[in-house]
């Protein structure tokens, strides 16, 4: 079974996971039935919804997403914690452990107030029920802070240290601290938690709190709860760049940091990015909210194919692999060495690069009407890289200035394939690539 391939196994704080993919604490882990079903589909572990005494209630509706070019891009939730009493979770934890695959790891999320003693009852009851791991939710950004819980605690290194050190006196299983991204600098918080005995970190809870949008016709904030709303937790691909930096910051601050990455993972590629900046396990929430538990197949198969292509024999070999290449801005090389070249055989003359280059770049790009192709004059290119990322076909690349000059002059002297043949070639390749990804 590919979900249990040996090279996918990874340990976090001494606990072995069959693969690095863990469901984060959220609606997909709201009860035993869902967690058991996900476990049987191949997930390596799950963090159940945060146990708090007493349980919470959610407004209707409490989840909303926004699309970019037709695809979901950013998510907001205004839900809180578990809506079930701790007694129910005491029954569900052993049920999950008995019905899920034997190597499936169950993590119990718990929450209390700034008074450390309030964390002990949920901790002990989940431990006694048989959980494998504890996750401390000191980071929920909506609802909880106004009750002096969640991110209210996670933004204060002293409060985090006080709670972690007290919990570690009673913990019989590893303890992960779920950090909040809503801080100026995450490093002091992580350092404080580590020095107080934290075994691992989950980085990070949702961002914000933010307001995802306004219905300007109804004059209502979204998600609208009978005309009203509240700032909520922001998640999805839009926040991944911030999460990657936060993981890197903790990985390079805490010795031998044991990290679960969380934020913006929809595919195996996103997961590899998390791992290469320091995560050992990868928690997924929004990807499952949008596409269901079945994305585990893409995550596992894609990761395995990548590892075999790159000849990685274990996840361990990939952890933190690029952290040494993330350096201070002042340490970067400021040589103006490159210019862009537009490959005429790949350009489909869509023009998406022209106005941005003229208005925000060096103005090197222009449309060759006779050849029906975009070209880049290397003498005007400032090497900003904007057009490379705007090009939908990969026709533009950055090369050394001398090479850009040579390629440009050579391309002017060569006949350019017709636009129709270029379009056919590009879209045929896209179809083949899409089918290859699907078959894998």
């Amino acid at each position: 079974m590919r979900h249990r391939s040996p090279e996918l196994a990874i340990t976090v704080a001494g606990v072995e996971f069959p693969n690095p993919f863990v469901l984060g604490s959220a609606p997909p882990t709201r009860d035993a039935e869902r967690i058991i079903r996900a476990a049987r589909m191949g997930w390596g572990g799950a963090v159940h919804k945060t146990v708090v005494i007493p349980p919470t209630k959610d407004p209707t509706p409490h989840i909303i997403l926004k699309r970019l070019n037709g695809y979901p891009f950013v998510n907001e939730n205004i839900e809180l914690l578990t809506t079930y009493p701790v007694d129910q979770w005491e029954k569900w934890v052993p049920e999950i452990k008995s019905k899920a695959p034997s190597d499936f790891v169950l993590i119990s999320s718990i929450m209390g107030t700034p008074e450390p003693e309030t964390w002990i009852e949920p901790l002990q009851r989940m431990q006694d029920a048989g959980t494998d791991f504890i996750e401390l939710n000191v980071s929920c950004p909506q609802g909880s802070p106004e009750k002096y819980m969640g991110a209210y605690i996670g933004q204060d290194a002293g409060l985090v240290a006080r709670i972690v050190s007290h919990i570690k006196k009673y913990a019989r299983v590893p303890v992960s601290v779920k950090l909040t991204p809503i801080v100026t600098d995450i490093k002091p918080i992580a350092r404080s938690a580590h020095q107080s005995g934290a075994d691992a970190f989950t980085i990070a809870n949702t961002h914000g709190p933010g307001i995802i949008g306004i219905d300007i016709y109804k004059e209502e904030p979204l998600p609208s709860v009978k005309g009203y709303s509240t700032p909520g937790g922001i998640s999805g691909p839009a926040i991944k760049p911030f999460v990657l930096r936060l993981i890197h910051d903790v990985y390079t601050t805490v010795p031998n940091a044991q990290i679960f990455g969380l934020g913006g993972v929809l595919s195996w590629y996103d997961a590899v990015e998390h791992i290469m900046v320091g995560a050992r396990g990868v928690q997924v929430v929004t990807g499952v909210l949008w596409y269901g538990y079945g994305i585990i197949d893409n995550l596992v198969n894609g990761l395995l194919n990548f590892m075999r292509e790159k000849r990685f024999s274990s996840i361990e070999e990939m952890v933190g692999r690029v952290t040494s290449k993330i350096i201070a801005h002042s340490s970067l090389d400021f040589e103006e060495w490159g210019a862009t070249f537009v490959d005429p055989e790949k350009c489909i003359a869509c023009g998406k690069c022209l106005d941005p280059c003229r208005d925000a770049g060096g103005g090197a790009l222009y449309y060759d009407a006779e050849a029906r192709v975009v070209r880049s004059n290397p003498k005007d290119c400032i090497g900003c890289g904007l057009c490379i990322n705007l090009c939908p076909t990969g026709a533009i690349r950055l090369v050394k200035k001398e090479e850009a000059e040579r390629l440009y002059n050579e391309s002017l002297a060569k006949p350019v394939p017709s636009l129709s043949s270029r379009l056919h070639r590009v879209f045929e390749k896209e179809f083949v690539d899409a089918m290859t990804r699907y078959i894998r």
Side-chain angles (χ1 to χ4, degrees):
M1 184 177 182
R2 286 172 70 85
H3 300 79
R4 296 303 196 264
S5 294
E7 59 261 61
L8 291 179
I10 186 71
T11 60
V12 182
V15 176
E16 183 165 322
F17 291 74
N19 64 58
F21 301 113
V22 178
L23 289 169
S25 177
T29 62
R30 66 160 51 105
D31 58 35
E33 184 275 328
R34 286 175 172 81
I35 295 173
I36 293 165
R37 184 153 44 89
R40 291 174 174 174
M41 291 177 70
W43 289 85
V47 188
H48 65 63
K49 284 284 284 183
T50 302
V51 171
V52 64
I53 303 173
T56 58
K57 293 183 178 180
D58 295 322
T60 302
H62 50 264
I63 300 174
I64 187 172
L65 63 86
K66 285 283 188 178
R67 296 175 182 273
L68 182 67
N69 296 328
Y71 294 96
F73 180 64
V74 65
N75 198 85
E76 180 189 349
N77 85 85
I78 54 171
E79 67 170 29
L80 293 176
L81 314 169
T82 185
T83 57
Y84 296 101
V86 65
D87 314 57
Q88 182 62 68
W89 282 104
E90 282 182 305
K91 298 173 184 175
W92 277 341
V93 167
E95 180 185 353
I96 294 166
K97 292 298 296 176
S98 66
K99 294 182 179 179
S102 59
D103 57 358
F104 179 80
V105 178
L106 181 62
I107 303 173
S108 290
S109 174
I110 64 172
M111 181 186 284
T113 73
E115 291 302 320
E117 197 58 39
T118 62
W119 294 74
I120 302 307
E121 181 180 349
L123 166 70
Q124 292 181 327
R125 293 176 75 170
M126 292 301 96
Q127 285 187 147
D128 291 345
T131 195
D132 300 307
F133 218 118
I134 290 291
E135 182 177 271
L136 307 182
N137 185 344
V138 294
S139 47
C140 180
Q142 73 275 356
S144 298
E146 60 197 62
K147 299 176 182 177
Y148 305 103
M149 299 165 76
Y152 174 85
I153 295 171
Q155 292 171 329
D156 186 318
L159 278 178
V160 170
R162 186 178 171 209
I163 288 165
V164 172
S165 61
H166 189 67
I167 282 175
K168 285 295 291 181
K169 295 175 184 177
Y170 300 87
R172 303 191 304 271
V173 297
V175 174
S176 179
V177 181
K178 189 173 187 178
L179 299 177
T180 175
I182 317 168
V183 289
T184 304
D185 187 353
I186 201 170
K187 295 189 290 293
I189 310 291
R191 191 180 297 115
S192 178
H194 172 69
Q195 292 170 349
S196 300
D199 300 293
F201 300 95
T202 301
I203 306 171
N205 210 319
T206 48
H207 290 232
I211 299 170
I212 200 169
I214 307 293
D215 185 326
I216 62 173
Y217 295 100
K218 293 183 179 179
E219 299 182 10
E220 293 177 0
L222 300 173
S224 177
V225 181
K226 296 184 176 180
Y228 296 85
S229 195
T230 188
I234 305 298
S235 62
I239 59 97
K240 186 179 68 174
F242 305 103
V243 173
L244 294 177
R245 196 212 86 188
L246 293 171
I247 295 171
H248 167 264
D249 283 353
V250 175
Y251 181 81
T252 54
T253 298
V254 174
N256 192 31
Q258 305 289 291
I259 297 172
F260 294 101
L262 170 60
V265 174
L266 299 187
S267 72
W268 66 269
Y269 193 105
D270 302 319
V272 172
E273 290 180 296
H274 276 230
I275 293 167
M276 285 191 168
V277 292
R280 302 177 68 80
V282 179
Q283 293 189 17
V284 184
V285 171
T286 303
V288 177
L289 289 180
W290 293 350
Y291 303 112
Y293 299 133
I295 68 167
I296 188 63
D297 294 334
N298 169 278
L299 295 173
V300 167
N301 292 333
L303 178 56
L304 270 175
N305 290 337
F306 173 77
M307 291 176 68
R308 290 167 183 175
E309 177 187 342
K310 298 289 288 184
R311 300 186 185 281
F312 289 119
S313 60
S314 68
I315 300 292
E316 188 77 44
E317 292 179 39
M318 300 163 59
V319 175
R321 199 167 179 87
V322 304
T323 53
S324 63
K325 297 179 180 178
I326 300 172
I327 59 178
H329 188 273
S330 57
S331 299
L332 292 171
D333 186 333
F334 289 89
E335 177 191 0
E336 297 178 2
W337 61 270
T340 53
F341 169 68
V342 182
D343 186 341
E345 295 192 5
K346 293 183 179 178
C347 176
I348 58 173
C350 65
K352 291 181 178 180
C353 59
L354 292 173
D355 287 349
C357 178
R358 182 193 63 219
D359 299 341
L365 298 178
Y366 67 94
Y367 181 61
D368 181 338
E370 182 177 348
R372 302 181 74 183
V373 71
V374 172
R375 299 190 188 276
S376 175
N377 187 335
K379 293 180 180 178
D380 295 324
C381 181
I382 61 173
C384 67
L386 176 62
C387 60
I388 299 170
N389 299 285
L390 289 171
C391 179
T393 66
I396 307 175
R397 66 182 191 268
L398 189 65
V399 298
K400 291 182 178 180
K401 286 187 174 182
E402 303 77 29
E403 185 180 1
E405 186 77 35
R406 177 181 62 78
L407 291 171
Y408 174 65
N409 291 329
E410 287 177 357
S411 69
L412 291 176
K414 290 180 181 179
V416 177
S418 68
L419 180 58
S420 60
S421 69
R422 282 179 273 145
L423 285 166
H424 177 77
R425 185 180 305 148
V426 166
F427 290 113
E428 181 181 52
K429 182 179 184 301
E430 283 190 359
F431 175 76
V432 171
D433 288 346
M435 288 304 296
T436 301
R437 288 193 298 270
Y438 177 76
I439 292 169
R440 281 183 176 180

